[in-house]
Amino acid sequence: MILVFGGTTEGRRAAEVLEEAGSVYFYSTKTSEQELTLHNGQRIDGAMDEEAMYAFCLEHSIRLMVDAAHPFASQLHATIAKVAESLQIPVVRYERIYPPRESDIVWIDDYNELTSYISPHTTLLATTGVQSISKLKFLEMQGIKVIYRILNRESSILLAHEQGATDEQLCFYPQTASADAVLMKESGVSGGFVEKVAEAKEKGMRIIVLKRPQWPMFNGDCLMVNGPYGLRRAVEKLLPEFFPMHSGLTTGTCATAASIAATRQLLYDEQLNEVPVVLPDGETIYVPVGYGKGYAYCIKEAGDDPDVTNGIEVRASVKPSDSFEVMGGEGVGRFTLPGFDYPPGEAAINKAPREMIRKNLESFGVPLTVTISVPQGAEIARRTFNPRLGIEGGISIIGVSGIVKPFSEEAFIDSIRKCMTVAKASGSDRVVINSGGKSERFVKALYPDLPRQAFVEYGNYIGETLKMAHELHLENVTLGVMLGKAVKLAAGHLDTHSRKTTMDLDFIQQMLQESGITIDISDITLARELWERIPSTQLDDFAHTVIRHCTDYCNPLLPDGSLTILLIDDNGKIFSTTN
């Protein structure tokens, strides 16, 4: 069982990550004021001291704690560390992302340092929270006017009054009072720190920032993360059974990790077991790496996602250069068709991985030429979509988020979008979308002159694919569909995956009646059994009824184009509205 300490943006994100597992966990907050919808998490409200936390962990067999509490909740952090060490429970600290400390800002470790930077008869705007009011009252005794910015809620106003603040001293977030200086906490990106600093600079205020306290160390397993992907991977490592399926890394992340390792080896003669990689969303994860003669490598880790690239070695070699450049070496394919991020002839390394490599290496301050290679790439590529997409000679280096979730809908839809873009760029006057290899084989016979790139598999995502066709301004689209998916589509289910929808016998019975067909279907388990049950003389009538219902739901998704729907039986016979 997992116990999360939240009440913050990070706490909410931690809950979202854990909800993906479908497993039970506990979510603890000091108050009940955070709005949060939990399906698998059980919420606990109220502060826990060391004794209460110790007892709770024992009673509920807690095996992992996630500290996603506010960075300034020092007492809570210390309590978590003590209990975790005592019970030998591993901890994941979900930290915030912090921008670099700017030299034109005053950084302090304690409120008592303020008198060194603020003169009497000046005004200070304190944005450090209602709990800090009592700690700042000493400034008023020295002739400094303090205005406290707090949340406009009853509990905060009451607490402010209890600590001696008057109504005249209060302003409510997001308002900003006129002041000579502003005091804020180093609250990180999610705490709006960047925006607060920009606002203060615009108003000409002197900025004083209370540094964040360090998270306490203890003798036990502790992983630091600063984003949702890192949290998931940490949980998968420390409590493997919590997520039924585990995540993996994209080839783009592997290439980035190898590039970082190769750069550190070149510049510092270092060989690390793992390197920090900043993902496109700004969070940092640690990725294992290895070394060869003149290169570093990262082993592609697919997790539980079915991926033919799992286990391959992605290499990077680097050398000083006049400007930054990413090149493709052995086993990395090349674009041969338009429609990609880069023109034909370029290495098949997509824009997101290139940018990821650049951003991770720019901190070294040395322009480099990076060459990515995959020794097994040419062989592996034959088992991918690359030949159809016009990528020849090897695999492509891809990945938008940097992380692969098992059976990720996002990843599959992204691959459909890329195929649709290539189909558009092929210049074909028609794009044919179909559910898979079998339906495509039958439909291709109707369009023998179309290029291979004009045929795109939608899997189960019919609605998403048609929306893409509209966004790409495709004028003529053919949808090939077999009966199992067609009866779901006819009922209005634009995602036909079995986990989203099942065959509706009542609706099928309705379509049979509309077609003038009277048969018993109460015992069928698969839609394709209908081909055997329906009299051959009435198959056309039923097929046209199904197509009509499908058309009702599909046409609105392609308002500016012409859509042809083809219903295919198991033997390859094709029905359309023109039959």
Side-chain angles (χ1 to χ4, degrees):
M1 189 72 77
I2 296 178
L3 172 59
V4 180
F5 294 92
T8 57
T9 299
E10 289 68 36
R12 178 180 288 106
R13 290 174 180 167
E16 291 171 353
V17 170
L18 298 185
E19 286 287 331
E20 295 174 358
S23 303
V24 178
Y25 64 94
F26 293 101
Y27 185 88
S28 173
T29 57
K30 184 177 181 180
T31 70
S32 59
E33 293 177 329
Q34 184 182 35
E35 295 183 5
L36 191 68
T37 300
L38 303 177
H39 299 288
N40 302 301
Q42 298 182 21
R43 186 159 183 168
I44 310 159
D45 295 324
M48 286 190 191
D49 59 18
E50 185 177 342
E51 182 180 354
M53 191 183 299
Y54 187 97
F56 185 91
C57 290
L58 284 179
E59 179 183 354
H60 296 281
S61 300
I62 300 301
R63 298 178 55 203
L64 175 65
M65 289 197 282
V66 177
D67 181 358
H70 195 280
F72 282 81
S74 299
Q75 183 58 55
L76 176 57
H77 301 319
T79 301
I80 292 170
K82 288 179 181 178
V83 173
E85 184 172 356
S86 178
L87 294 176
Q88 296 186 319
I89 298 173
V91 176
V92 178
R93 168 58 184 159
Y94 194 149
E95 188 58 281
R96 296 184 175 184
I97 296 173
Y98 297 96
R101 290 175 178 171
E102 300 178 32
S103 59
D104 59 345
I105 292 175
V106 175
W107 299 90
I108 62 175
D109 294 298
D110 188 86
Y111 291 117
N112 292 326
E113 299 177 39
L114 285 168
T115 52
S116 300
Y117 303 101
I118 307 175
S119 304
H121 311 298
T122 58
T123 301
L124 174 69
L125 173 64
T127 67
T128 45
V130 68
Q131 296 283 359
S132 68
I133 292 177
S134 61
K135 300 174 183 178
L136 296 172
K137 295 299 289 183
F138 76 96
L139 295 174
E140 298 177 30
M141 300 177 185
Q142 300 185 30
I144 297 170
K145 180 182 179 181
V146 185
I147 300 173
Y148 305 101
R149 185 166 75 176
I150 65 173
L151 294 175
N152 189 7
R153 61 189 184 196
E154 186 176 347
S155 60
S156 296
I157 296 172
L158 179 61
L159 184 56
H161 288 160
E162 289 176 352
Q163 295 183 76
T166 64
D167 288 338
E168 291 72 24
Q169 288 181 288
L170 300 181
C171 75
F172 301 110
Y173 182 83
Q175 296 175 351
T176 299
S178 177
D180 302 298
V182 60
L183 173 65
M184 61 183 72
K185 288 180 176 178
E186 188 180 13
S187 56
V189 173
S190 66
F193 182 77
V194 175
E195 292 78 10
K196 292 174 185 176
V197 167
E199 180 184 34
K201 287 184 176 181
E202 184 180 347
K203 294 182 180 298
M205 297 182 187
R206 188 176 194 185
I207 303 171
I208 305 172
V209 179
L210 183 67
K211 298 176 186 175
R212 67 186 186 275
Q214 295 298 309
W215 200 83
M217 301 303 296
F218 66 96
N219 295 321
D221 289 332
C222 178
L223 295 180
M224 306 291 286
V225 304
N226 62 358
Y229 295 126
L231 174 62
R232 173 161 181 153
R233 289 178 62 80
V235 173
E236 290 172 351
K237 178 179 180 180
L238 295 172
L239 201 64
E241 67 274 21
F242 185 80
F243 284 96
M245 305 191 75
H246 290 186
S247 61
L249 303 174
T250 64
T251 48
T253 296
C254 294
T256 303
S259 300
I260 295 169
T263 301
R264 298 194 73 90
Q265 183 180 37
L266 173 70
L267 300 180
Y268 312 134
D269 196 26
E270 288 182 343
Q271 288 194 353
L272 306 176
N273 293 326
E274 60 179 16
V275 294
V277 175
V278 180
L279 298 178
D281 69 351
E283 69 171 290
T284 301
I285 64 171
Y286 285 82
V287 179
V289 291
Y291 300 87
K293 188 175 182 179
Y295 64 89
Y297 66 85
C298 176
I299 301 299
K300 173 69 164 67
E301 172 195 339
D304 287 316
D305 195 61
D307 188 339
V308 296
T309 63
N310 184 46
I312 64 171
E313 188 176 281
V314 180
R315 297 178 178 178
S317 59
V318 299
K319 61 181 181 181
S321 179
D322 294 330
S323 60
F324 179 80
E325 185 178 10
V326 177
M327 303 176 64
E330 176 191 3
V332 174
R334 294 203 169 266
F335 300 125
T336 63
L337 295 173
F340 291 94
D341 296 331
Y342 299 95
E346 280 282 335
I349 304 174
N350 286 358
K351 184 176 181 179
R354 288 181 192 242
E355 186 66 11
M356 192 172 164
I357 293 171
R358 184 189 66 78
K359 285 187 175 180
N360 275 270
L361 297 189
E362 66 183 4
S363 62
F364 292 103
V366 179
L368 299 165
T369 293
V370 181
T371 301
I372 305 300
S373 58
V374 184
Q376 301 168 274
E379 177 187 350
I380 293 291
R382 300 188 188 101
R383 290 179 271 158
T384 71
F385 281 120
N386 279 9
R388 172 178 302 207
L389 289 173
I391 298 173
E392 296 181 358
I395 68 166
S396 48
I397 305 300
I398 60 175
V400 176
S401 68
I403 297 293
V404 177
K405 290 184 180 179
F407 300 100
S408 166
E409 289 189 15
E410 178 185 0
F412 195 91
I413 291 172
D414 281 344
S415 70
I416 297 173
R417 182 172 287 105
K418 180 58 65 179
C419 289
M420 292 291 283
T421 303
V422 170
K424 167 81 172 180
S426 73
S428 173
D429 62 355
R430 178 174 297 275
V431 173
V432 181
I433 63 175
N434 52 85
S435 60
K438 186 176 181 180
S439 61
E440 180 179 306
R441 188 168 66 252
F442 294 140
V443 173
K444 269 187 173 179
L446 294 181
Y447 302 100
D449 297 329
L450 292 183
R452 179 173 55 177
Q453 291 74 30
F455 295 86
V456 176
E457 291 185 14
Y458 57 71
N460 290 294
Y461 304 104
I462 298 173
E464 291 289 342
T465 307
L466 288 174
K467 290 176 186 176
M468 294 174 201
H470 172 62
E471 292 167 2
L472 291 168
H473 306 290
L474 298 177
E475 295 183 1
N476 299 296
V477 177
T478 294
L479 165 63
V481 62
M482 300 191 78
L483 191 57
K485 296 183 186 297
V487 294
K488 295 178 181 180
L489 178 60
H493 301 291
L494 297 168
D495 180 345
T496 58
H497 198 288
S498 58
R499 73 172 181 270
K500 298 287 184 67
T501 182
T502 57
M503 181 175 61
D504 186 340
L505 286 179
D506 290 338
F507 180 69
I508 294 174
Q509 189 67 65
Q510 174 190 320
M511 289 194 292
L512 288 169
Q513 292 174 356
E514 293 176 17
S515 307
I517 302 169
T518 304
I519 58 173
D520 179 18
I521 61 167
S522 60
D523 61 336
I524 69 169
T525 58
L526 297 172
R528 65 170 177 259
E529 296 176 48
L530 291 167
W531 295 125
E532 304 297 328
R533 299 284 183 97
I534 298 173
S536 59
T537 57
Q538 295 179 294
L539 285 175
D540 280 348
D541 294 332
F542 178 69
H544 293 159
T545 299
V546 174
I547 292 172
R548 173 169 53 82
H549 281 281
C550 291
T551 301
D552 289 343
Y553 289 104
C554 292
N555 270 347
L557 302 179
L558 195 68
D560 302 321
S562 174
L563 177 65
T564 300
I565 296 181
L566 307 178
L567 178 60
I568 310 162
D569 75 6
D570 288 350
N571 297 316
K573 182 178 179 180
I574 296 176
F575 300 86
S576 72
T577 52
T578 58
N579 286 125

